Amino acid sequence: MKILSIETSCEHASVALLLDGETVERTLEGHSNHSERLLPTLKALLADAGVALGALDAVAFGAGPGAFTGLRLACGVAQGLAMGADLGVAPVCSLEALALQGRGDAIYVATDARMGEVYSAAYRLADGLPVMVAPPTCCPPEMLTLPADGRWSGIGSAFAVYGDRIPHEVLNRLGRPENDAVPRAADVARLAVRLAEGGMLVAAEVAAPLYVRDKVALTTAERLARGGRA
């Protein structure tokens, strides 16, 4: 399986090339110039591996939820590459990709959604791959809840940003969360293999980000009500 992947759902962007189980990943430093460096980095990745775009099985991207600008960038580039080479696209949930970095086999992912809110989802690992227990959602940190049974391993930026607002009953069942981990293109590629092998690739023209939250701006009163600043 040969898959090119893009992950720009947060400020730390990366790209990766998976070739028959081996992955090469490159990080794009400095979020302000992701749009300028993304295509040249992808082309260099393919050139260094001696792989033509048309020889790929799919193009994958971290579909979110995450930073709207980053999601649109990743989706647009994936669509353009796939259309030009007549390839299918694998939109991979960025929370699911982040779960692959968690400890244990019960992973609760919570990332900073900005505007005083959190993106979250819960997964159990089966054969090393995440199976969704609770779907991606967006809510204030005070409303976060864990699935009913057992202890969970927490991962994601929300624990550092909103740790004082997350309910104690959630934190007490998580142990010490990994709050500095970010989604990686290598994990996006790994999950894209499952989609490709399962016949779940989509046509480039219908690939779309997973926004979860449609509203991108709040009034001053709404920001204050959620604990933000005016």
Side-chain angles (χ1 to χ4, degrees), residues 23-127:
T23 305
V24 178
E25 185 178 52
R26 293 183 181 176
T27 301
L28 282 68
E29 300 293 344
H31 65 276
S32 62
N33 62 355
H34 288 169
S35 59
E36 299 174 4
R37 296 188 55 209
L38 186 55
L39 269 176
T41 304
L42 288 167
K43 291 178 179 178
L45 195 58
L46 290 170
D48 290 348
V51 176
L53 182 62
L56 298 174
D57 294 290
V59 178
F61 71 100
F68 282 34
T69 300
L71 299 185
R72 289 192 292 267
L73 172 63
C75 182
V77 170
Q79 285 178 309
L81 293 173
M83 284 181 181
D86 194 24
L87 298 171
V89 175
V92 173
C93 175
S94 299
L95 301 183
E96 188 175 348
L98 187 53
L100 287 176
Q101 299 181 48
R103 298 186 298 262
D105 58 5
I107 314 297
Y108 186 72
V109 184
T111 61
D112 180 13
R114 306 296 175 89
M115 300 196 301
E117 291 186 320
V118 173
Y119 295 125
S120 67
Y123 303 90
R124 289 194 182 276
L125 298 188
D127 297 324

Side-chain angles (χ1 to χ4, degrees), residues 110-154:
T111 61
D112 180 13
R114 306 296 175 89
M115 300 196 301
E117 291 186 320
V118 173
Y119 295 125
S120 67
Y123 303 90
R124 289 194 182 276
L125 298 188
D127 297 324
L129 294 174
V131 176
M132 188 171 63
V133 175
T137 188
C138 182
C139 68
E142 292 85 356
M143 295 179 62
L144 291 177
T145 59
L146 287 174
D149 299 327
R151 290 184 62 83
W152 292 74
S153 176

